[in-house]
Amino acid sequence: MCLFFGFQDPAHLYYVHLGKKTDDQANQIFVVNNEPRKKISTTTTAGTPWTDDWHHARVIRKVETGAIQVFFDDMEKPAMTATDKTFAWGQVGIGTFDDTGNFDDVTVYGKKVERPKTSK
């Protein structure tokens, strides 16, 4: 399962991969910045304990400090953390890679940030 944020286009985004087993490509926080994904997690768990039951996931991102915290079921202690200031704006999204998943009661809180005007 994946949680996306700071999405500007398919080559510029952050995402969290909540995988059952941790390695350099799974159960991590990533940044994609016009090159292949780069792991930016500074802490993570051995894996995300998925079951067929409903679970709670939450991402807290503080643009000013670059702090990113990811919570899974335990809403007190982050399952993953990172610090990165690459993107200050973007869309959010949810999805999966190789498996199917159901999402319910999705809520987004934050400040509206306008997309910067680019010169062409």
Short mmCIF file of all heavy atoms in Angstrom, two decimals, residues 75-104:
data_model
loop_
_atom_site.label_atom_id
_atom_site.label_comp_id
_atom_site.label_asym_id
_atom_site.label_seq_id
_atom_site.Cartn_x
_atom_site.Cartn_y
_atom_site.Cartn_z
N MET A 75 -0.97 5.20 16.68
CA MET A 75 -0.96 6.61 16.29
C MET A 75 -0.11 7.47 17.23
O MET A 75 -0.10 8.68 17.12
CB MET A 75 -2.39 7.16 16.22
CG MET A 75 -3.23 6.52 15.13
SD MET A 75 -2.64 6.93 13.47
CE MET A 75 -2.33 5.30 12.80
N GLU A 76 0.60 6.83 18.16
CA GLU A 76 1.46 7.57 19.10
C GLU A 76 2.92 7.56 18.66
O GLU A 76 3.63 8.55 18.80
CB GLU A 76 1.34 6.97 20.50
CG GLU A 76 -0.07 7.05 21.08
CD GLU A 76 -0.55 8.48 21.27
OE1 GLU A 76 0.25 9.32 21.70
OE2 GLU A 76 -1.73 8.74 20.97
N LYS A 77 3.40 6.42 18.17
CA LYS A 77 4.81 6.27 17.80
C LYS A 77 4.91 6.05 16.29
O LYS A 77 4.32 5.12 15.76
CB LYS A 77 5.43 5.09 18.53
CG LYS A 77 6.89 4.90 18.22
CD LYS A 77 7.48 3.71 18.94
CE LYS A 77 8.93 3.58 18.54
NZ LYS A 77 9.48 2.28 18.87
N PRO A 78 5.68 6.90 15.58
CA PRO A 78 5.80 6.72 14.13
C PRO A 78 6.47 5.40 13.76
O PRO A 78 7.43 4.97 14.40
CB PRO A 78 6.67 7.89 13.67
CG PRO A 78 6.93 8.74 14.85
CD PRO A 78 6.46 8.02 16.06
N ALA A 79 5.96 4.77 12.71
CA ALA A 79 6.58 3.56 12.17
C ALA A 79 7.77 3.91 11.28
O ALA A 79 8.69 3.11 11.13
CB ALA A 79 5.55 2.76 11.37
N MET A 80 7.73 5.12 10.69
CA MET A 80 8.82 5.58 9.83
C MET A 80 8.99 7.08 10.01
O MET A 80 8.01 7.79 10.28
CB MET A 80 8.49 5.35 8.35
CG MET A 80 8.35 3.94 7.93
SD MET A 80 7.88 3.87 6.18
CE MET A 80 6.82 2.44 6.22
N THR A 81 10.21 7.55 9.83
CA THR A 81 10.48 8.99 9.86
C THR A 81 11.50 9.33 8.77
O THR A 81 12.27 8.48 8.32
CB THR A 81 11.05 9.44 11.22
OG1 THR A 81 12.27 8.76 11.47
CG2 THR A 81 10.06 9.19 12.35
N ALA A 82 11.46 10.59 8.37
CA ALA A 82 12.42 11.12 7.40
C ALA A 82 12.44 12.64 7.55
O ALA A 82 11.53 13.22 8.17
CB ALA A 82 12.04 10.74 5.98
N THR A 83 13.44 13.25 6.98
CA THR A 83 13.50 14.71 6.90
C THR A 83 13.93 15.06 5.49
O THR A 83 14.97 14.58 5.01
CB THR A 83 14.51 15.29 7.92
OG1 THR A 83 14.14 14.86 9.23
CG2 THR A 83 14.52 16.81 7.87
N ASP A 84 13.11 15.87 4.80
CA ASP A 84 13.43 16.27 3.43
C ASP A 84 12.63 17.51 3.08
O ASP A 84 11.45 17.61 3.40
CB ASP A 84 13.08 15.15 2.45
CG ASP A 84 13.64 15.42 1.06
OD1 ASP A 84 12.96 16.10 0.27
OD2 ASP A 84 14.76 14.96 0.80
N LYS A 85 13.27 18.47 2.42
CA LYS A 85 12.62 19.72 2.02
C LYS A 85 12.57 19.90 0.51
O LYS A 85 12.42 21.01 0.02
CB LYS A 85 13.35 20.91 2.64
CG LYS A 85 13.24 21.00 4.14
CD LYS A 85 13.94 22.26 4.61
CE LYS A 85 13.75 22.50 6.06
NZ LYS A 85 14.34 23.79 6.48
N THR A 86 12.69 18.81 -0.25
CA THR A 86 12.74 18.93 -1.71
C THR A 86 11.50 19.61 -2.28
O THR A 86 11.61 20.50 -3.11
CB THR A 86 12.93 17.54 -2.35
OG1 THR A 86 14.11 16.94 -1.82
CG2 THR A 86 13.04 17.65 -3.86
N PHE A 87 10.32 19.20 -1.84
CA PHE A 87 9.07 19.74 -2.40
C PHE A 87 8.27 20.44 -1.31
O PHE A 87 8.08 19.89 -0.22
CB PHE A 87 8.22 18.63 -3.01
CG PHE A 87 8.95 17.82 -4.06
CD1 PHE A 87 9.08 16.46 -3.92
CD2 PHE A 87 9.51 18.43 -5.17
CE1 PHE A 87 9.75 15.70 -4.87
CE2 PHE A 87 10.20 17.69 -6.12
CZ PHE A 87 10.32 16.32 -5.96
N ALA A 88 7.77 21.63 -1.61
CA ALA A 88 6.99 22.40 -0.65
C ALA A 88 5.50 22.40 -0.97
O ALA A 88 4.71 22.97 -0.23
CB ALA A 88 7.50 23.85 -0.61
N TRP A 89 5.11 21.76 -2.06
CA TRP A 89 3.70 21.74 -2.46
C TRP A 89 3.44 20.47 -3.25
O TRP A 89 4.37 19.77 -3.64
CB TRP A 89 3.33 22.96 -3.30
CG TRP A 89 4.06 22.98 -4.62
CD1 TRP A 89 5.32 23.44 -4.85
CD2 TRP A 89 3.59 22.46 -5.86
NE1 TRP A 89 5.66 23.26 -6.17
CE2 TRP A 89 4.61 22.65 -6.82
CE3 TRP A 89 2.41 21.85 -6.26
CZ2 TRP A 89 4.48 22.26 -8.14
CZ3 TRP A 89 2.28 21.46 -7.59
CH2 TRP A 89 3.32 21.67 -8.50
N GLY A 90 2.18 20.16 -3.48
CA GLY A 90 1.83 19.03 -4.32
C GLY A 90 0.54 18.35 -3.87
O GLY A 90 0.01 18.62 -2.80
N GLN A 91 0.07 17.45 -4.70
CA GLN A 91 -1.16 16.71 -4.44
C GLN A 91 -0.88 15.52 -3.54
O GLN A 91 0.27 15.11 -3.36
CB GLN A 91 -1.77 16.22 -5.75
CG GLN A 91 -2.17 17.34 -6.68
CD GLN A 91 -2.66 16.81 -8.02
OE1 GLN A 91 -2.07 15.90 -8.58
NE2 GLN A 91 -3.74 17.38 -8.51
N VAL A 92 -1.95 14.95 -2.97
CA VAL A 92 -1.84 13.72 -2.18
C VAL A 92 -2.61 12.62 -2.89
O VAL A 92 -3.51 12.89 -3.70
CB VAL A 92 -2.37 13.91 -0.74
CG1 VAL A 92 -1.55 14.94 0.00
CG2 VAL A 92 -3.84 14.29 -0.74
N GLY A 93 -2.27 11.37 -2.59
CA GLY A 93 -2.97 10.25 -3.22
C GLY A 93 -2.74 8.97 -2.45
O GLY A 93 -1.90 8.90 -1.55
N ILE A 94 -3.50 7.94 -2.81
CA ILE A 94 -3.38 6.63 -2.19
C ILE A 94 -3.41 5.58 -3.29
O ILE A 94 -3.97 5.80 -4.36
CB ILE A 94 -4.51 6.37 -1.17
CG1 ILE A 94 -5.89 6.60 -1.82
CG2 ILE A 94 -4.34 7.24 0.05
CD1 ILE A 94 -7.06 6.33 -0.92
N GLY A 95 -2.78 4.43 -3.05
CA GLY A 95 -2.79 3.38 -4.05
C GLY A 95 -1.99 2.18 -3.60
O GLY A 95 -1.63 2.05 -2.44
N THR A 96 -1.73 1.29 -4.56
CA THR A 96 -0.97 0.08 -4.28
C THR A 96 0.02 -0.18 -5.42
O THR A 96 -0.08 0.44 -6.48
CB THR A 96 -1.90 -1.15 -4.17
OG1 THR A 96 -2.53 -1.36 -5.43
CG2 THR A 96 -2.94 -0.96 -3.08
N PHE A 97 0.95 -1.09 -5.20
CA PHE A 97 1.85 -1.54 -6.26
C PHE A 97 1.35 -2.84 -6.85
O PHE A 97 0.68 -2.88 -7.85
CB PHE A 97 3.28 -1.72 -5.73
CG PHE A 97 4.13 -0.50 -5.81
CD1 PHE A 97 4.68 0.04 -4.67
CD2 PHE A 97 4.38 0.12 -7.02
CE1 PHE A 97 5.47 1.17 -4.73
CE2 PHE A 97 5.16 1.25 -7.10
CZ PHE A 97 5.71 1.78 -5.94
N ASP A 98 1.66 -3.94 -6.19
CA ASP A 98 1.36 -5.25 -6.74
C ASP A 98 0.14 -5.93 -6.13
O ASP A 98 -0.25 -7.00 -6.57
CB ASP A 98 2.58 -6.18 -6.55
CG ASP A 98 3.80 -5.66 -7.28
OD1 ASP A 98 3.62 -5.04 -8.34
OD2 ASP A 98 4.91 -5.86 -6.78
N ASP A 99 -0.40 -5.37 -5.08
CA ASP A 99 -1.52 -5.98 -4.39
C ASP A 99 -2.74 -5.07 -4.48
O ASP A 99 -2.65 -3.92 -4.88
CB ASP A 99 -1.18 -6.19 -2.91
CG ASP A 99 -0.02 -7.14 -2.72
OD1 ASP A 99 -0.04 -8.21 -3.34
OD2 ASP A 99 0.91 -6.80 -1.97
N THR A 100 -3.89 -5.60 -4.10
CA THR A 100 -5.09 -4.78 -4.03
C THR A 100 -5.30 -4.35 -2.59
O THR A 100 -4.81 -4.99 -1.66
CB THR A 100 -6.33 -5.55 -4.53
OG1 THR A 100 -6.49 -6.71 -3.72
CG2 THR A 100 -6.17 -5.94 -5.99
N GLY A 101 -6.01 -3.27 -2.41
CA GLY A 101 -6.31 -2.78 -1.07
C GLY A 101 -7.56 -1.94 -1.09
O GLY A 101 -7.98 -1.44 -2.14
N ASN A 102 -8.17 -1.79 0.05
CA ASN A 102 -9.36 -0.97 0.20
C ASN A 102 -9.03 0.22 1.08
O ASN A 102 -8.30 0.09 2.07
CB ASN A 102 -10.49 -1.78 0.84
CG ASN A 102 -10.93 -2.92 -0.04
OD1 ASN A 102 -11.24 -2.73 -1.20
ND2 ASN A 102 -10.93 -4.12 0.52
N PHE A 103 -9.58 1.37 0.75
CA PHE A 103 -9.39 2.58 1.53
C PHE A 103 -10.76 3.11 1.91
O PHE A 103 -11.70 3.05 1.13
CB PHE A 103 -8.63 3.64 0.71
CG PHE A 103 -7.24 3.23 0.35
CD1 PHE A 103 -6.97 2.53 -0.81
CD2 PHE A 103 -6.18 3.54 1.19
CE1 PHE A 103 -5.68 2.16 -1.15
CE2 PHE A 103 -4.88 3.16 0.87
CZ PHE A 103 -4.64 2.47 -0.30
N ASP A 104 -10.86 3.65 3.13
CA ASP A 104 -12.13 4.17 3.63
C ASP A 104 -11.82 5.31 4.59
O ASP A 104 -10.76 5.33 5.23
CB ASP A 104 -12.88 3.04 4.35
CG ASP A 104 -14.31 3.40 4.69
OD1 ASP A 104 -14.84 4.38 4.14
OD2 ASP A 104 -14.90 2.69 5.52
#
